[in-house]
Amino acid sequence: MTATTRRRQVPEPRPMATAPSTGMAETAPPSVVLNGLGMSFSGKHVLRDVDMEVRPGQFVALVGPSGAGKSTLLRLINGSHRPTQGSVSVLGVNPAMCSRKDLQLLRTRVGFVFQQFGLVGRLSALENVLMGALGSLKLPRYGISTYPIALRERAVANLERVGLLDERFQRCDTLSGGQQQRVAIARTLMQEAEIVLADEPVASLDPSASLSVLRTLKKLSAEDGFTVVCSLHQVDLALQISDRVVAVRGGSLIMDTPTAEASEEAIRAIYQQAKDDRS
Amino acid sequence: MNSTLQDRRSAREGTRPSPMPAPVARWPRASAATLGIPLAYLAVTAFGTWWIDIRPEALAAGFGDIARLLERMVPPTTGPLPDLLALALETLWIAIAGTGLATLASVFLAAAASRRYTGPRAIQWLARTIIIVTRAVPSLIFAILFVRIFGLGPLAGGLAIAFHSVGMIGKMMADVFEEQDPAPREAIAAVGASRTQNFVSTTLTRALPALASLVLYRLDINIRASAVLGLVGAGGIGVALQTAIGSLNYQRAAGIIAVIVAMLLVLELVSYLVQRAVAEHAGEHTQSQLFRAGRQPASPGWDRARITRTAGAVAAVALFLYSLGQLALNPARLGQAWDNALALLSGFVPPVFTADVALGIFESVIMALTATSFGVAAGLVIAVLSTGHLVRFEPLAVGLRGIVVVLRGIPDIIYALVFVAALGLGPFAGFLALSLSCTALASKFFTDSLQNVDPAPLRALEATGANRLQVFVSGVWPQFVPSFIGNSLFTSDLALRESAVLGIVGAGGIGFLLDESVATLHYQQTAGILIGLIVVVVALESVARWARRKVI
């Protein structure tokens, strides 16, 4: 890649959040474009020929059995993996072609919520949330007081938005699983991300905490207008929360439909088919 | 009995009884390593006993000579006490400054040496090499080299402590980094943080409790090490000891040794109390509330725990900076030091490796391994007697533990000085010195392990009517074996590093040749000795690691 193209692909500064999105913004350029995307590890195909566009403000549920390629797909969007075939465009930038610095810049605009939360357990919820702003700061930080007061206030506000204001000085490893995932979401809010990728964010939570966490994510997405691509195993939750359901099996995209038109039986059949294939 | 059962099962399943003979209990087949390693150790010990000429009559005669020397040391005198206390304080500053410098450097080295490092491979390789080399070279050897570069005084001592500790702290810290869960690191990389930001926020913050106890543990060791650096002119109270012994003033030497031992015991107690406070503080962290809210919702408040924590951190930094100031660092001296360092390093090329060097290193290894065998045997007896598994006599246990604490308080090289003064030059004095320190060390390790065995199986055995010896053999020993082997190998590892320096006071091994090569400016030979020593230490460490993996 030449220096010119690299410079052209440097992510633009994030525009200030405007009015909340009310749904699919058909006229705006897509947040994510996957074009003939394929990925293989040691010759084994994990994803093949995936074509997909995600519009700004959409809440996309990515469903499919374990090993279908959902996590790989999210990591390709986030630039953690480089595709072996096809291309990815995230906010107009191809993460696979970015330099390390440019990828860092892109990642400040793309949030990621992990199944295992990725929190530093011995630190307070507030400090963990503040870490979400590291991409916008130059120097390393240690301790709450080393962050600018404006960021600290924003972190407290974000914790309040996820319902954890009173727990802000609590050590993270003393919080429940659902609370920890809310802290992780609040950390993502610090990025003021335009896209949030969530990799099975409720897989280790009980059903009531799962629903509560996903509702929080949905509410925040509606308020701030960010796009969500969320991989899930729970079909009922996917149907309750998302605008659109995309199903993956064996590395291929086999269903892509608005949630209102999606049938629970059809999605469950995908899981059953995978089960039958395995046995 | 077995065949009957088999026949019944066959009859039930409608099959013919198997013609295979019934299994009989037999000895488990020992692996080559399980048998070979102890046999090899015994062979080396037997050879070492012959090489060093350890005979009962030599030992008896030696004890007579030592008793006569001890008589000449009574009553101990200290001379002007303020001077001695000033030197004792200098020892403390050397240890604190050296440990602090090593800690700062270790953070970067460990980060680069860790398997989690994602930067250039060359930097990782360099960091690992520095850790391996500095771990292999004892601080007293670094002190000899730094005295040549920086001149006599505490600066050479502080740097010697720092260089050796870098390897020790760096290795352990890299292990701590590697054992961490990678999830937070991945999460913070995903928010667009730089590698440094990510390291500070996720890796260092999680490693801090382990790092604090690691540094305190190392400081404890370094205070002991810095007490003898004066023997080679690198500052501290060892200077006074060297002068007293050099002038045959044994009463003063005894007084100085008593001051050193008292100082080390007091500092060990302080270190123990600080470590306990740190551990309790780590316990506090498991409480749900980490901070109280401050006046503003986004600021943590100042409660007692936070004030104590902050005051402790500020005091530690202030103490480190003050101790750095006590190292007598001045720019004019540094300019001269640069020239000296260049002369020393250019003098290293090409390294010369003679037969004398090989023999010296060989003698150091033999002394260390033989002394370890004797020390481990004696340490085992002391540990068994002081833990009450076999003999329950509390006064004996308390007395033995007290003796071990005092024995551990005296650095090896001071034993060596006394034995050389009593018995003359040679490896026999070194062997005795090492045996004493190995005994103290091994008995400490073994006592800790024996006290920590799971009592449940012992109670179960007692309930079957087994006697104390049976309970020990069947219940205690199998639990104790892994730690016995691990700690014995660790003791031999430490003994090897110590035996490499005992020659400085004439107690055999390579130390004498090393000291002489630097003093006579034969730097090529110095380089040969250093390379040989590093290779041998690293090789034996690898063998010990392999043995630990095979046997445990």
Side-chain angles (χ1 to χ4, degrees), chain B residues 438-452:
Chain B
C438 285
T439 301
L441 202 63
S443 63
K444 165 81 173 70
F445 290 149
F446 296 160
T447 304
D448 289 350
S449 304
L450 284 172
Q451 278 171 337
N452 290 329

Side-chain angles (χ1 to χ4, degrees), chain B residues 406-417:
Chain B
V406 175
L407 283 180
R408 279 186 61 232
I410 303 173
D412 307 42
I413 204 154
I414 292 184
Y415 288 130
L417 270 173

Side-chain angles (χ1 to χ4, degrees), chain B residues 336-429:
Chain B
Q336 180 63 40
W338 178 246
D339 296 338
N340 293 341
L342 283 183
L344 184 72
L345 290 174
S346 58
F348 276 176
V349 186
V352 169
F353 197 78
T354 60
D356 282 347
V357 171
L359 195 66
I361 292 176
F362 177 73
E363 192 169 78
S364 284
V365 173
I366 291 297
M367 268 163 57
L369 296 183
T370 311
T372 305
S373 298
F374 280 79
V376 161
L380 183 62
V381 172
I382 293 174
V384 168
L385 291 178
S386 57
T387 47
H389 284 297
L390 278 182
V391 182
R392 284 175 198 162
F393 183 53
E394 197 54 27
L396 175 70
V398 172
L400 283 173
R401 278 183 217 162
I403 291 171
V404 167
V405 167
V406 175
L407 283 180
R408 279 186 61 232
I410 303 173
D412 307 42
I413 204 154
I414 292 184
Y415 288 130
L417 270 173
V418 173
F419 289 134
V420 165
L423 310 169
L425 301 168
F428 188 51

Side-chain angles (χ1 to χ4, degrees), chain B residues 47-292:
Chain B
F47 176 77
T49 308
W50 169 77
W51 174 277
I52 302 167
D53 196 17
I54 307 163
R55 285 169 292 115
E57 57 269 36
L59 276 173
F63 284 131
D65 291 337
I66 293 164
R68 276 189 290 283
L69 177 72
L70 291 178
E71 275 170 28
R72 291 170 64 190
M73 287 180 156
V74 180
T77 56
T78 56
L81 206 56
D83 293 353
L84 207 56
L85 289 178
L87 285 173
L89 267 180
E90 190 173 78
T91 301
L92 193 60
W93 304 137
I94 289 172
I96 294 173
T99 310
L101 287 172
T103 306
L104 289 178
S106 299
V107 171
F108 297 102
L109 277 176
S114 147
R115 273 200 304 268
R116 310 275 188 207
Y117 179 69
T118 52
R121 293 294 104 184
I123 290 181
Q124 187 174 47
W125 181 86
L126 185 67
R128 286 181 177 176
T129 306
I130 291 173
I131 286 176
I132 289 171
V133 169
T134 51
R135 259 163 59 83
V137 179
S139 46
L140 214 52
I141 292 182
F142 275 124
I144 293 172
L145 301 176
F146 289 140
V147 163
R148 180 56 56 184
I149 295 173
F150 296 100
L152 298 168
L155 179 60
L159 289 176
I161 293 288
F163 267 67
H164 179 60
S165 303
V166 154
M168 289 294 184
I169 301 177
K171 167 78 173 67
M172 290 183 180
M173 218 186 289
D175 290 346
V176 171
F177 292 163
E178 282 174 8
E179 283 163 13
Q180 289 178 340
D181 174 15
R185 211 167 10 240
E186 200 183 349
I188 298 306
V191 306
S194 69
R195 272 205 293 246
T196 315
Q197 287 175 325
N198 199 342
F199 174 74
V200 172
S201 291
T202 64
T203 307
L204 201 58
T205 46
R206 283 186 291 167
L208 273 184
L211 183 60
S213 53
L214 193 64
V215 169
L216 283 171
Y217 167 71
R218 196 65 223 171
L219 180 64
D220 195 20
I221 294 172
N222 284 347
I223 290 172
R224 192 160 305 166
S226 60
V228 296
L229 290 177
L231 296 175
V232 294
I237 199 165
V239 174
L241 183 63
Q242 177 72 322
T243 313
I245 289 186
S247 58
L248 306 181
N249 189 346
Y250 291 119
Q251 289 179 333
R252 181 161 155 74
I256 295 168
I257 291 172
V259 169
I260 291 177
V261 172
M263 180 183 86
L264 292 178
L265 290 178
V266 168
L267 290 172
E268 190 166 319
L269 181 68
V270 172
S271 162
Y272 165 74
L273 292 175
V274 174
Q275 284 190 48
R276 203 177 62 172
V278 167
E280 279 171 6
H281 174 60
E284 267 171 33
H285 275 186
T286 56
Q287 291 169 5
S288 58
Q289 210 69 22
L290 192 59
F291 297 119
R292 276 197 197 132

Side-chain angles (χ1 to χ4, degrees), chain A residues 84-165:
Chain A
T84 47
Q85 177 200 332
S87 68
V88 183
S89 168
V90 183
L91 302 169
V93 178
N94 183 347
M97 304 296 277
C98 280
S99 65
R100 194 162 58 87
K101 202 78 202 156
D102 292 345
L103 189 60
Q104 257 173 251
L105 272 174
L106 177 64
R107 282 176 170 177
T108 61
R109 302 168 65 195
V110 181
F112 207 112
V113 179
F114 294 83
Q115 180 186 337
Q116 292 304 330
F117 327 129
L119 302 174
V120 178
R122 63 177 291 270
L123 297 183
S124 64
L126 183 60
E127 191 163 353
N128 271 287
V129 172
L130 281 164
M131 284 182 205
L134 280 172
S136 63
L137 298 166
K138 276 190 179 162
L139 295 173
R141 309 280 157 159
Y142 176 71
I144 295 168
S145 310
T146 59
Y147 288 85
I149 186 71
L151 279 180
R152 277 190 266 160
E153 282 167 356
R154 200 147 64 78
V156 170
N158 284 331
L159 273 168
E160 193 172 12
R161 291 181 77 190
V162 297
L164 291 174
L165 178 65

